[in-house]
Amino acid sequence: MYFVANWKMFGDLKGLNSLNNVINFVTRNERKNFKVVYCPPSTLIFSLSKKFKNTPIDLGGQNSHESENYGPYTGHINSKMLKDIGAKYLILGHSENRQCGENDKLINLKIKNGLKTGLKIIFCIGETLKEKKNNKTNQILSNQIKIGLNGIKNKSNIIIAYEPVWAIGTGLIPELSDLNNLIFFIKKKFKNKSQKVLYGGSVNENNINQLKTINNIDGFLVGAASQDAKKFIDIIKKTYN
Ligand code: PEP
């Protein structure tokens, strides 16, 4: 079961002390098949990589440039740099980046380079509210998977994160029956029956008891609630039980 904290553009050095509680909790309650991953903004990756050293918590990036090599791309970092600083995971295809113009083809390039570098990719897919209302969800998810993973034979280092765009940061979550169907729909697209699929979108300490009942769910990508150590611990704790 994965618990991936996506801090987005939040967090500062001062706030990192609260992570001691998370480290203590995860260390004391380490379980096989439970993995906690933090994806902080780039400014905090170095500090967190030191903080998580010799702990069971892993580190991830929130995005990367598609170039495999270093280059003149002001403001960007690539997967090689993330790996160098100790990241093991990389979120790609997040809807907040898709909204800034990233398309499936570009995401596909980024995924390929991330895999080549040796990172595990958390590949976000999800429909907008308009697409949902027009009954386009299945088609959108199929296209995102088809183009995003085009040419990638070995998908063992790909973790899908199903994140309906309308559920991110809104407090809304899908009907559980819809979620069960969609997770099944996504998993069926993969030959590998153990393909990991996470859910993300307004996961919090209040709805986790419901969300953890989704059939065959492999974990959660958590935005806002992961920025509060107590809430994040609560989410993990409630899933443990
Ligand atoms: C996210 O952006 O990946 C996310 C899941 O955000 P939130 O939990 O805040 O909806």
Side-chain angles (χ1 to χ4, degrees):
M1 192 65 92
Y2 281 94
F3 300 89
V4 182
N6 174 15
W7 272 11
K8 313 186 185 210
M9 201 176 75
F10 292 96
D12 53 24
L13 282 176
K14 222 173 41 215
L16 297 189
N17 286 339
S18 70
L19 288 179
N20 295 339
N21 294 336
V22 183
I23 294 171
N24 288 340
F25 173 79
V26 176
T27 307
R28 270 191 272 114
N29 296 281
E30 211 181 338
R31 292 203 185 170
K32 222 176 133 212
N33 300 331
F34 273 68
K35 179 90 262 133
V36 176
V37 181
Y38 269 82
C39 301
S42 305
T43 50
L44 297 178
I45 295 183
F46 180 63
S47 307
L48 282 194
S49 105
K50 281 201 291 185
K51 208 168 177 68
F52 292 151
K53 202 162 179 223
N54 301 321
T55 79
I57 301 180
D58 282 337
L59 201 59
Q62 294 179 10
N63 199 359
S64 71
H65 191 274
E66 63 276 18
S67 172
E68 187 185 344
N69 298 312
Y70 299 127
Y73 305 108
T74 304
H76 293 267
I77 55 172
N78 69 359
S79 48
K80 197 157 131 178
M81 292 160 142
L82 285 165
K83 174 95 179 179
D84 182 51
I85 201 71
K88 292 193 178 154
Y89 293 81
L90 172 59
I91 296 174
L92 289 173
H94 195 283
S95 61
E96 285 156 9
N97 293 321
R98 290 179 188 265
Q99 279 155 21
C100 291
E102 288 196 9
N103 61 28
D104 292 315
K105 271 194 168 166
L106 179 70
I107 294 162
N108 175 253
L109 263 182
K110 293 186 177 199
I111 294 177
K112 282 178 174 158
N113 279 328
L115 288 174
K116 214 164 167 185
T117 311
L119 297 175
K120 289 190 198 315
I121 307 299
I122 299 163
F123 172 36
C124 301
I125 57 171
E127 81 287 0
T128 62
L129 188 58
K130 188 170 172 209
E131 288 159 349
K132 177 182 161 60
K133 282 186 174 159
N134 290 333
N135 293 319
K136 291 265 166 53
T137 301
N138 290 11
Q139 188 190 321
I140 293 293
L141 299 183
S142 297
N143 271 343
Q144 289 175 340
I145 292 172
K146 188 170 164 220
I147 306 172
L149 298 183
N150 183 34
I152 299 168
K153 284 207 181 73
N154 182 354
K155 300 182 181 66
S156 56
N157 281 334
I158 303 275
I159 300 162
I160 304 287
Y162 170 55
E163 296 209 307
V165 180
W166 52 270
I168 295 178
T170 59
L172 302 171
I173 56 168
E175 297 285 336
L176 279 190
S177 54
D178 288 349
L179 256 180
N180 274 321
N181 290 340
L182 285 167
I183 299 298
F184 180 75
F185 174 78
I186 294 166
K187 287 204 172 201
K188 225 172 53 184
K189 300 211 155 284
F190 293 87
K191 279 203 199 89
N192 183 354
K193 292 294 155 243
S194 56
Q195 176 62 49
K196 302 265 179 276
V197 182
L198 318 183
Y199 168 75
S202 295
V203 176
N204 62 37
E205 68 289 7
N206 300 317
N207 59 26
I208 189 65
N209 279 335
Q210 261 180 293
L211 290 169
K212 74 177 186 190
T213 66
I214 305 165
N215 290 332
N216 298 317
I217 195 71
D218 297 297
F220 302 97
L221 180 50
V222 187
S226 73
Q227 290 151 30
D228 180 322
K230 195 176 167 301
K231 289 183 182 173
F232 196 49
I233 291 173
D234 234 30
I235 290 170
I236 302 170
K237 225 188 243 174
K238 286 180 175 166
T239 315
Y240 270 177
N241 296 327

